[in-house]
Amino acid sequence: ADVILLVTCSVREKAEQAIWNRLRHLKALKARRQQGRLPLRVGILGCMAERLKEEILHREKLVDVVAGPDAYRDLPRLLAVAGSGQQAANVLLSLDETYADILPVQTSAGGTTAFVSVMRGCDNMCSYCIVPFTRGRERSRPIASILQEVRMLSDQGVKEVTLLGQNVNSFRDMSEVQFQSAAAPVLSRGFSTVYKAKPGGLRFAHLLDQVSRIDPEMRIRFTSPHPKDFPDEASVLQLIQERHNICKQLHLPAQSGSTRVLEAMRRGYTREAYLELVHHVRESIPGVSLSSDFIAGFCGETEEDHQQTVSLLREVRYNVGFLFAYSMRQKTRAYHRLRDDVPADVKQRRLEELITVFREEAARANEAMVGQSQLVLVEGPSKRSALELCGRNDGNIKVIFPDAETEDAAGCKALVRAQPGDYVLVKVTSASSQTLKGALLCRTTLSRSAAC
């Protein structure tokens, strides 16, 4: 390659360290290329470029181009400047860049799943989070461009789409004049924000409704929402319950089980308000699968605070969890106002305890599915055995089952083998905290399974 571009993340320190390590590898590669005719150009893109800017150019002389998340359109010019032997950078954040007019190219032919970005940035300003400073303010793509992309994916045979946004359920499309005077949204009961809710625009419920109508055989997921944006009368929850192709799965990032720590994090809710929302979600969507994020060892977290997070994990019993030790990020409110006073070894011990408890409870939640039939979207061969296939159920839990001939629910008499992109019914025979295993019953469709 004549150009190597590294797309980067800054949410956690570990992600940035991986990039510094990769640059050391590229240093040797670039030195070898200098003996040839064309020099190798190296670029750092994304959030790390936005966060560190000049430091990257000064610390690593081998980096030729630095481009923030809103500067990708400028890459041809930046590379042209680098071609003249100068370093080039553009880290300007935009108030309106969503790349709505650039439809991604699917490079994996026959892929069964895809991600569709619906908005960028975040306004929540949680005290631990670097995202508002690296991705900028919230702005949403026009719904028309999102629908165009989902239709294109449907035509290509994609069977599951995940709508992506840093704060996806605060989606607000202002592109149509007649909706610009709509009332501001209502927050979930017991929730607050550091900013004033903005009126106008088409909201996430409208987007979810329109996307789910495109293809009845395409599953729809979304991530990552904020708990505050699921008000009691939420039409989003109603849509999930009613539509057979919107997955009965929600990501409800808690971050901590301690009200005191949640206040320090500026999450805008108490433990009690969060649990009330969880109960409301489970009443609205029977059988819903829940996932969450947790941070171990945030500034000022005591052992009692930690135990409250442990008890929240036990009380809610999540199916999927993302748990990390806290790492202080520059520019955040925590960096300026709080002390990172939990020792690294204590953070690690608390993280390991949270992971242990999460796995125990997830195993119990998954064991409740033993004996049930689960609708699974086939993704491909299992990593551990060529004799087995792997896919995910509606709750986004991995399911392993034999790669064997089976009947087709449509009634054709010939036996068939399930292929990636097929829906199959699997009877669960065993479960762990991470996966379900089962026996293949038949091939079916999403619509037929819902009708049954």
Side-chain angles (χ1 to χ4, degrees):
D2 297 322
V3 178
I4 295 177
L5 304 175
L6 303 181
V7 186
T8 66
C9 174
S10 273
V11 171
R12 287 177 292 278
E13 190 176 358
K14 187 177 179 182
E16 289 190 358
Q17 194 54 52
I19 296 298
W20 294 122
N21 294 342
R22 180 63 62 88
L23 285 175
R24 280 198 288 273
H25 166 72
L26 294 180
K27 202 168 194 173
L29 202 62
K30 192 164 187 176
R32 287 201 298 273
R33 275 291 294 267
Q34 279 174 349
Q35 294 141 24
R37 204 159 43 86
L38 282 172
L40 173 65
R41 302 295 174 201
V42 175
I44 300 291
L45 315 183
C47 290
M48 187 172 169
E50 188 69 41
R51 190 179 88 79
L52 295 176
K53 303 182 178 86
E54 297 90 352
E55 184 182 333
I56 294 173
L57 295 173
H58 293 154
R59 179 171 161 180
E60 296 290 352
K61 296 298 182 185
L62 83 155
V63 174
D64 304 288
V65 168
V66 170
D70 293 345
Y72 298 149
R73 293 181 196 268
D74 199 29
L75 276 171
R77 183 189 68 82
L78 294 172
L79 286 166
V81 171
S84 67
Q86 303 174 65
Q87 289 181 312
N90 181 349
V91 289
L92 294 174
L93 283 174
S94 167
L95 291 174
D96 52 21
E97 178 62 87
T98 62
Y99 300 101
D101 57 329
I102 302 176
L103 295 184
V105 175
Q106 295 296 112
T107 55
S108 54
T112 59
T113 62
F115 294 95
V116 174
S117 177
V118 302
M119 64 179 298
R120 297 172 71 83
C122 184
D123 290 348
N124 285 317
M125 304 300 287
C126 300
S127 63
Y128 55 82
C129 188
I130 190 69
V131 168
F133 303 97
T134 58
R135 302 297 295 267
R137 300 280 73 80
E138 286 179 5
R139 62 268 192 205
S140 303
R141 275 176 72 178
I143 286 179
S145 76
I146 298 167
L147 298 181
Q148 179 189 358
E149 184 174 342
V150 175
R151 287 190 196 100
M152 179 187 76
L153 292 168
S154 174
D155 292 342
Q156 292 173 2
V158 169
K159 290 296 178 66
E160 182 179 290
V161 159
T162 301
L163 305 178
L164 281 183
Q166 195 62 46
N167 197 36
V168 68
N169 55 341
S170 64
F171 178 89
R172 178 170 162 265
D173 172 16
M174 293 290 289
S175 64
E176 297 189 38
V177 175
Q178 68 266 38
F179 297 107
Q180 289 184 4
S181 60
V186 178
L187 297 181
S188 301
R189 190 164 62 235
F191 288 71
S192 63
T193 65
V194 296
Y195 64 88
K196 188 177 179 181
K198 302 178 187 74
L202 289 168
R203 300 288 170 170
F204 185 63
H206 183 86
L207 171 65
L208 195 59
D209 171 47
Q210 294 298 305
V211 168
S212 67
R213 292 176 186 273
I214 288 173
D215 183 348
E217 289 300 310
M218 177 187 274
R219 272 180 174 170
I220 308 299
R221 301 187 191 277
F222 58 89
T223 200
S224 174
H226 192 288
K228 74 177 181 349
D229 295 313
F230 290 108
D232 290 343
E233 69 279 11
S235 48
V236 169
L237 299 182
Q238 187 178 343
L239 274 172
I240 296 171
Q241 193 272 326
E242 290 175 354
R243 298 283 164 86
H244 75 273
N245 63 334
I246 303 178
C247 292
K248 311 298 181 276
Q249 176 242 328
L250 265 187
H251 187 63
L252 289 178
Q255 307 300 358
S256 174
S258 160
T259 293
R260 197 184 70 80
V261 173
L262 289 169
E263 185 177 358
M265 289 178 165
R266 297 178 101 194
R267 289 292 291 168
Y269 51 86
T270 61
R271 174 195 177 96
E272 291 72 27
Y274 179 86
L275 282 171
E276 187 178 335
L277 175 63
V278 168
H279 295 147
H280 174 58
V281 165
R282 285 189 160 144
E283 285 174 5
S284 303
I285 312 168
V288 67
S289 170
L290 294 181
S291 58
S292 194
D293 299 331
F294 286 93
I295 295 171
F298 184 65
C299 306
E301 183 187 74
T302 64
E303 200 60 33
E304 182 185 349
D305 294 325
H306 167 63
Q307 290 304 322
Q308 288 185 41
T309 301
V310 169
S311 72
L312 185 73
L313 282 166
R314 292 213 184 276
E315 186 168 348
V316 176
R317 188 171 287 176
Y318 299 95
N319 299 85
V320 178
F322 305 92
L323 302 94
F324 302 95
Y326 174 65
S327 58
M328 178 78 82
R329 316 309 289 134
Q330 289 179 354
K331 295 187 179 179
T332 62
R333 183 181 175 86
Y335 179 79
H336 292 292
R337 303 285 183 91
L338 304 174
R339 283 197 313 120
D340 187 7
D341 54 359
V342 180
D345 59 332
V346 175
K347 285 181 186 176
Q348 193 57 37
R349 188 224 347 130
R350 289 179 184 173
L351 174 62
E352 288 168 5
E353 287 178 12
L354 294 181
I355 290 171
T356 298
V357 171
F358 158 71
R359 285 181 175 164
E360 288 173 1
E361 297 303 326
R364 290 191 179 100
N366 291 346
E367 280 162 10
M369 295 183 223
V370 173
Q372 296 179 4
S373 295
Q374 294 285 316
L375 182 69
V376 177
L377 175 60
V378 182
E379 293 178 355
S382 167
K383 289 180 181 177
R384 296 192 177 181
S385 171
L387 302 176
E388 293 178 317
L389 292 173
C390 161
R392 291 184 183 271
N393 70 357
D394 191 83
N396 210 25
I397 299 165
K398 186 182 288 186
V399 184
I400 310 291
F401 54 95
D403 182 6
E405 291 185 327
T406 186
E407 295 179 351
D408 190 288
C412 66
K413 294 181 180 179
L415 295 176
V416 295
R417 274 193 183 274
Q419 303 294 321
D422 285 345
Y423 290 102
V424 294
L425 278 178
V426 175
K427 186 171 184 178
V428 180
T429 55
S430 66
S432 71
S433 64
Q434 306 286 311
T435 53
L436 305 173
K437 281 198 161 190
L440 182 59
L441 297 179
C442 66
R443 185 173 72 176
T444 185
T445 65
L446 195 54
S447 303
R448 189 179 293 117
S449 175
C452 292

